[in-house]
Amino acid sequence: MKRKNDLFDYLLMASVAILIIVFAVLREQTLLKTLPTLITLAVQMLLVKANRYAFLLGGANALLYGISYWSEGLYFSLVSAVVISAPIQFYSFFVWSKNKDRSRPELKVLGIKRLLPVLAVSLLGWVACYFGLSRFFAGQSYPLIDTYIFAMSITVSILAARQFVDSQYINAVSSILSLMLWILLTLKDPANFNYVIIASYNLFRIVQAAVTWTKKYLENQKTTAKENGL
């Protein structure tokens, strides 16, 4: 069963990569704009498997994405990618690497009592960003969506760094909005279609990661209970 799942993952990644490359060639898209989307394919597959190298590769890729965001006028996404996402992902790699049993990540859950305050703070951060900072960025594209993704990306990055399963559920919501954002931008400029492709792929992988991380967490709980003789 595992081999079939791995085969599906690789075939999906290869298919999306071919689609991205073909479109990039047809639209004469620059390598700088195409390369981050291709790297993301590998990052997301590693993330599904709860592999620590997803954070190392993802941190480097966030710096490349920052350049693309700048060209599209997505300034909150730019700051999020370069100033927040990249450093936190590098930190996440360090934290996950400290785990003695790297084949069994120490995944945790927040639980409703801790999750609700986290979401409340995140939403307040979104409101603060939208009303307090948007006016400083001339030419900002779709600030309501962009600031939401910015605020939530911080929450997701911090929770993922601390190995909380909840991070992927929050991330799934942000990914839906990210897909909507790139569809809107593509309607204005068809050259952005590659980002619609990668946003769709990201959404699928993040939902897959949420399921996989949950299963791993439950398996870890059973294993720990057996080791403790419960």
Side-chain angles (χ1 to χ4, degrees), residues 22-77:
V22 168
F23 182 82
V25 171
L26 291 175
R27 298 294 306 183
E28 298 182 348
Q29 193 176 63
T30 63
L31 178 62
L32 191 59
K33 205 167 184 178
T34 304
L35 184 59
T37 61
L38 293 173
I39 295 175
T40 297
L41 301 179
V43 172
Q44 292 297 78
M45 190 173 73
L46 290 171
L47 189 65
V48 168
K49 300 178 184 299
N51 188 307
R52 63 197 174 100
Y53 285 104
F55 300 107
L56 182 61
L57 186 59
N61 201 34
L63 300 178
L64 290 176
Y65 264 119
I67 300 173
S68 295
Y69 291 144
W70 175 268
S71 66
E72 296 298 334
L74 299 172
Y75 303 120
F76 278 102
S77 292

Side-chain angles (χ1 to χ4, degrees), residues 9-144:
D9 285 335
Y10 286 117
L11 286 176
L12 177 62
M13 186 172 69
S15 300
V16 176
I18 292 170
L19 187 59
I20 288 173
I21 292 170
V22 168
F23 182 82
V25 171
L26 291 175
R27 298 294 306 183
E28 298 182 348
Q29 193 176 63
T30 63
L31 178 62
L32 191 59
K33 205 167 184 178
T34 304
L35 184 59
T37 61
L38 293 173
I39 295 175
T40 297
L41 301 179
V43 172
Q44 292 297 78
M45 190 173 73
L46 290 171
L47 189 65
V48 168
K49 300 178 184 299
N51 188 307
R52 63 197 174 100
Y53 285 104
F55 300 107
L56 182 61
L57 186 59
N61 201 34
L63 300 178
L64 290 176
Y65 264 119
I67 300 173
S68 295
Y69 291 144
W70 175 268
S71 66
E72 296 298 334
L74 299 172
Y75 303 120
F76 278 102
S77 292
L78 165 66
V79 174
S80 176
V82 176
V83 180
I84 298 171
S85 179
I88 291 179
Q89 289 200 68
F90 289 136
Y91 169 72
S92 300
F93 175 72
F94 170 75
V95 172
W96 283 54
S97 295
K98 290 171 63 177
N99 182 20
K100 293 180 180 179
D101 185 1
R102 291 172 182 170
S103 64
R104 183 183 160 193
E106 298 175 358
L107 297 172
K108 301 167 284 188
V109 295
L110 280 170
I112 296 297
K113 289 184 178 180
R114 288 189 294 172
L115 179 60
L116 290 178
V118 168
L119 291 177
V121 171
S122 300
L123 291 173
L124 286 174
W126 169 38
V127 173
C129 287
Y130 179 70
F131 288 104
L133 299 177
S134 292
R135 59 194 178 91
F136 293 108
F137 294 94
Q140 171 77 5
S141 300
Y142 303 103
L144 189 63

